[in-house]
Amino acid sequence: MEGSTRARRANRVQKAAPKSRRRRRGEEPVAVTADFLASLPLFATLEPELRERLAPRMTHLDLPRGERLFEGPPADDKDSPVFLLLSGDVAVRRGEGGQPPRVANFVAAGEAYVQKLFVVEGTTALEVEAMVPVRALQMPYRDMNYAMRKSPAFRDAFGERLRPITERQKARFDDELQGDIARFIVAQRLTFAGRVKLKRMDICIECDGCYDACRTRHGTDRLGASEVKYGLTEIPQNCHNCAVPECLDKCKFGHLSRHPDTGEIVISDNCVGCTMCAQGCSFGAIRMHSVADLDIHKYFPNRDPEHKGQNMAQKCDNCSGYADQACITACPAGAMFQVDGAELFNYWEQFNVHKQPGFADVLSPEAAGRFSKKFWVVFSLLQIALLTWEVFGRLWWPAATFTTLFHGWGWLAMGVDPDKPLSGGGTFGHTIGYIGAGCMIGTQGYRLGKLFAPRFGSVQAWMDSHIWLGVLGGVYGFYHTAFIWREPIAVVTFALMMVAIVTGTVGRYLLYLVPRSAAGQQLALEEIQARIQALNQSIESKFKDRRVGFTVMTRVAQLDELANLPPPEVDDEGMARTRLLPSMVDLLKKDRAEMGAIDAMATELKAEVQEGKAEEVLALLKEKARLERSTKRHALLSVILKRYRVVHVVSSNIMFGALALHIVRSLMYLVG
């Protein structure tokens, strides 16, 4: 099924409604004639006489976004409408048992809507709504059925129009794991997107590197904040290069067009700033900028110097003319990547990471950093193991050290000094001290890597080196002290090093703890409560007995007492204050305790929930607990998140100054 998706989507793009197809007031509707039907591949298989009979019974629809093609209870099968989509996509919603209709599937250009495909037992209402401007042919099902009986070729061709819908229904919308995600994609009108950028918030470190890179390359913010969010996966407010773009025919000056090579919708440097394209984009992906605020000479060299426009429209054009996308290249965590619109459903697991957050559970398609991640993990752990063996071997088993071995081979002039086996001022102590200092200096390669990526390696690889060199620097620095804490500069340097390492590590985890909204902002308490209520209903529905489910959730709520943290103090100016490091440590300890308590319920859940639902319920309970913790930690986390990155950067910078002073002092001591 998936192998032919891209080919079908390519046909859809070719069938996008041309500018002239949007009917204006007073304009005559398109007449459906036999010749018109003959121009369509599906009806070209019919005999001319049959086309003559069918044409008067068909209606050409030319509808704007949001208009309903059909709305109401299911019609009698013989009289139910059939819609053949010539361009655009429609969402199909189904109501059951008196409940409000919800997304059941969608119908794309080149496909057909037939009521029988969407009616199930208990269906009380159907809605067929245009997600973009739509052109379609409408006819009664009895006429379509008559044509299929008369022409086997037409029947086979029509069946091919229905096949993608039934396959999609079975593989996506009826699938227990993918159903909600598929409905989300349709609800957000992403089925006709040429491309979609995704941001994984479970691995995003919120460094804003993607926004900075976009601004540096183009002079404006083309990558917007989060447009919508599903779990921990966000979709930035970014141009989707729609198959049926609503912006393209709005520009009356010819400054909006398709790029001849990439097919991207691009805006000319001579944009007059009339705002019509921005108003036409239903995704809000086109933003207006004052010309006075832009570096015209640098970023818009083709703009006519005599141009009088005061504003310019700007949007993402997928970095047309460049070999890469600036925002994706700049992401150090591989959290942002781009998916071809036709393949979006194939990446459903990326929307499911809130159940198993973390890079290792669901790998991002942005694979540039995977090798470096494995390399640094193995390389660093091996070094730490060997160094630990050497240090403690010098104290307790000198004969088993590498120094003794290399001395016996003649590689070293001296072995382990029995009087001073471990000394920060000895040859070994100085060596590991210099290596540790080199590792800490090497962490700053990340700053250079961001500037020159991807020519000298991906930003993800540079970030991995930044993290693991920092860890190695801390370990080498710790053993360099020889467990003696007397020299003030050395103690200060090591303390600042530890602060930088701890804030960098723990701060990354804190970003996961904070629930975020569709705009990427921290959720308000009432929004968190609404999510908790939705989770409660989902959890209860998976138990054999809902009363047991309610009891289990009550126990989870009681576990939340483990996570009680004192509220931050408030000073005279109304600013929240808290002890940063103790609060972070306390928060992490209580978080692990609560997660462990929920894991301990796994055996009990298997007996109480529906078959095969235990793991899912366990994940939902953890999500519920995380959100409930957030209601109590809301103020505290807000304070910590504002401080941890500042502390990490400032402590690192001061640490380098102290490190330089420590090295100079050590060298002065060595030369007398």
Side-chain angles (χ1 to χ4, degrees):
M1 179 189 77
E2 306 298 349
S4 60
T5 303
R6 187 180 296 273
R8 289 198 298 266
R9 187 60 56 92
N11 290 333
R12 291 176 51 198
V13 173
Q14 294 171 5
K15 295 175 182 177
K19 296 180 182 179
S20 59
R21 292 311 313 171
R22 294 287 307 273
R23 192 169 74 250
R24 296 176 175 83
R25 184 175 299 178
E27 195 175 84
E28 290 297 323
V30 175
V32 180
T33 64
D35 291 339
F36 178 78
L37 292 181
S39 67
L40 303 176
L42 175 63
F43 292 96
T45 59
L46 294 175
E47 295 294 329
E49 296 80 7
L50 189 53
R51 286 198 295 268
E52 290 282 357
R53 295 181 62 185
L54 287 177
R57 303 176 64 81
M58 303 176 71
T59 305
H60 183 278
L61 303 178
D62 196 346
L63 306 177
R65 168 174 46 88
E67 190 159 327
R68 303 281 171 83
L69 287 78
F70 178 84
E71 181 178 16
D76 181 78
D77 280 343
K78 293 183 295 182
D79 298 319
S80 64
V82 173
F83 300 106
L84 301 170
L85 271 290
L86 304 180
S87 71
D89 287 12
V90 298
V92 181
R93 301 186 185 91
R94 178 175 59 222
E96 300 176 39
Q99 296 296 317
R102 71 168 187 164
V103 172
N105 205 324
F106 72 95
V107 181
E111 299 174 356
Y113 166 86
V114 176
Q115 178 180 279
K116 283 186 174 182
L117 296 180
F118 304 100
V119 173
V120 297
E121 185 177 355
T123 300
T124 56
L126 288 171
E127 294 178 358
V128 185
E129 182 178 308
M131 292 192 281
V132 285
V134 162
R135 289 178 57 218
L137 289 179
Q138 177 180 347
M139 64 186 302
Y141 178 76
R142 67 172 73 191
D143 292 340
M144 180 62 67
N145 196 34
Y146 175 79
M148 287 191 291
R149 291 200 307 270
K150 290 294 184 180
S151 172
F154 178 82
R155 182 189 60 223
D156 294 342
F158 186 70
E160 287 299 314
R161 304 294 176 106
L162 303 181
R163 188 187 307 277
I165 302 173
T166 56
E167 290 177 344
R168 196 161 55 230
Q169 189 74 44
K170 180 180 179 181
R172 306 297 186 193
F173 292 88
D174 291 343
D175 184 86
E176 186 175 349
L177 295 177
Q178 301 183 49
D180 284 342
I181 298 167
R183 284 185 282 273
F184 166 80
I185 292 174
V186 175
Q188 301 306 325
R189 303 170 49 244
L190 297 174
T191 61
F192 53 86
R195 55 177 171 80
V196 179
K197 283 186 173 65
L198 302 178
K199 184 191 287 188
R200 287 268 303 276
M201 295 308 296
D202 63 317
I203 54 179
C204 172
I205 62 173
E206 295 199 6
C207 64
D208 289 338
C210 50
Y211 297 103
D212 293 339
C214 180
R215 196 178 304 113
T216 299
R217 176 171 289 184
H218 302 294
T220 56
D221 294 310
R222 296 186 174 188
L223 179 68
S226 178
E227 178 183 324
V228 289
K229 179 177 179 179
Y230 187 97
L232 292 173
T233 302
E234 294 186 352
I235 299 176
Q237 193 175 41
N238 191 252
C239 174
H240 299 313
N241 206 48
C242 302
V244 185
E246 296 183 78
C247 61
L248 203 57
D249 62 347
K250 298 295 189 299
C251 181
K252 307 305 179 185
F253 302 92
H255 294 153
L256 208 65
S257 61
R258 293 271 190 189
H259 191 281
D261 298 323
T262 65
E264 284 287 327
I265 300 171
V266 295
I267 300 175
S268 165
D269 287 1
N270 283 323
C271 170
V272 300
C274 70
T275 75
M276 293 304 295
C277 59
Q279 295 178 41
C281 177
S282 57
F283 291 102
I286 302 179
R287 288 172 281 278
M288 305 304 299
H289 299 270
S290 172
V291 172
D293 297 334
L294 303 176
D295 188 339
I296 298 296
H297 178 74
K298 179 178 180 180
Y299 294 107
F300 307 96
N302 298 321
R303 188 173 177 84
D304 186 347
E306 302 299 323
H307 211 294
K308 303 300 181 183
Q310 299 300 307
N311 296 296
M312 288 184 66
Q314 285 289 284
K315 59 171 284 296
C316 174
D317 60 8
N318 214 34
C319 287
S320 290
Y322 293 90
D324 67 328
Q325 287 80 54
C327 56
I328 294 176
T329 296
C331 181
M336 179 173 284
F337 54 95
Q338 185 166 288
V339 175
D340 181 83
E343 306 297 329
L344 186 59
F345 281 92
N346 296 340
Y347 289 88
W348 67 272
E349 287 183 317
Q350 301 297 331
F351 292 93
N352 218 29
V353 293
H354 57 285
K355 295 184 178 179
Q356 288 185 308
F359 194 92
D361 292 308
V362 180
L363 292 180
S364 162
E366 192 62 25
R370 294 183 196 169
F371 173 78
S372 67
K373 188 177 294 292
K374 293 178 181 178
F375 166 78
W376 280 108
V377 170
V378 174
F379 177 73
S380 301
L381 293 180
L382 181 61
Q383 282 200 64
I384 292 171
L386 295 177
L387 180 61
T388 301
W389 175 269
E390 180 68 16
V391 168
F392 288 101
R394 280 173 166 266
L395 296 174
W396 298 322
W397 314 289
T401 63
F402 292 105
T403 302
T404 301
L405 178 64
F406 294 159
H407 176 65
W409 289 352
W411 292 4
L412 296 176
M414 295 180 60
V416 177
D417 186 346
D419 297 324
K420 278 191 172 183
L422 187 62
S423 170
T427 301
F428 177 73
H430 275 137
T431 300
I432 62 175
Y434 291 137
I435 294 175
C439 288
M440 297 309 296
I441 294 172
T443 60
Q444 300 310 294
Y446 168 60
R447 298 186 180 184
L448 294 175
K450 289 197 298 182
L451 295 176
F452 297 105
R455 285 178 292 172
F456 300 115
S458 69
V459 179
Q460 295 97 296
W462 284 103
M463 172 55 88
D464 289 335
S465 69
H466 175 81
I467 294 171
W468 286 103
L469 284 175
V471 172
L472 284 174
V475 174
Y476 274 102
F478 175 68
Y479 287 139
H480 168 63
T481 65
F483 315 120
I484 299 173
W485 315 94
R486 288 197 300 263
E487 207 278 313
I489 296 178
V491 173
V492 170
T493 302
F494 181 75
L496 289 169
M497 185 185 301
M498 290 298 102
V499 171
I501 293 173
V502 169
T503 53
T505 303
V506 178
R508 163 67 181 80
Y509 179 70
L510 289 174
L511 291 171
Y512 162 65
L513 290 180
V514 179
R516 297 189 173 268
S517 69
Q521 304 298 321
Q522 187 172 341
L523 285 174
L525 290 176
E526 57 270 19
E527 295 174 302
I528 297 176
Q529 293 291 356
R531 285 195 181 185
I532 292 174
Q533 292 301 320
L535 271 176
N536 289 345
Q537 295 177 9
S538 178
I539 293 170
E540 284 187 29
S541 68
K542 293 174 174 57
F543 278 82
K544 297 174 183 176
D545 186 336
R546 281 180 174 265
R547 292 173 296 179
V548 176
F550 179 78
T551 302
V552 169
M553 288 190 294
T554 302
R555 288 169 55 190
V556 171
Q558 292 171 347
L559 289 175
D560 193 45
E561 297 301 319
L562 292 168
N564 275 336
L565 294 173
E569 300 175 4
V570 179
D571 61 18
D572 296 336
E573 299 177 357
M575 296 296 293
R577 299 186 179 278
T578 187
R579 293 181 303 160
L580 180 62
L581 190 57
S583 297
M584 291 168 66
V585 172
D586 198 22
L587 185 151
L588 292 171
K589 287 170 59 179
K590 292 179 178 179
D591 181 63
R592 290 178 62 85
E594 189 171 359
M595 291 297 98
I598 294 176
D599 282 328
M601 300 168 61
T603 303
E604 178 185 347
L605 287 176
K606 288 182 180 178
E608 299 292 347
V609 302
Q610 299 169 15
E611 186 176 355
K613 299 286 187 180
E615 290 297 325
E616 185 179 352
V617 170
L618 202 65
L620 291 174
L621 287 173
K622 289 183 177 180
E623 174 69 4
K624 170 183 166 65
R626 184 175 75 88
L627 291 174
E628 288 176 338
R629 290 197 305 273
S630 297
T631 62
K632 295 185 177 182
R633 298 172 174 177
H634 207 265
L636 175 64
L637 290 173
S638 297
V639 175
I640 293 177
L641 281 171
K642 290 177 181 177
R643 293 187 181 183
Y644 98 88
R645 189 183 287 116
V646 174
V647 174
H648 177 66
V649 174
V650 171
S651 62
S652 298
N653 292 337
I654 298 175
M655 180 267 295
F656 281 115
L659 180 62
L661 187 60
H662 174 64
I663 293 174
V664 169
R665 192 174 184 282
S666 299
L667 292 175
M668 290 174 64
Y669 177 80
L670 286 176
V671 298

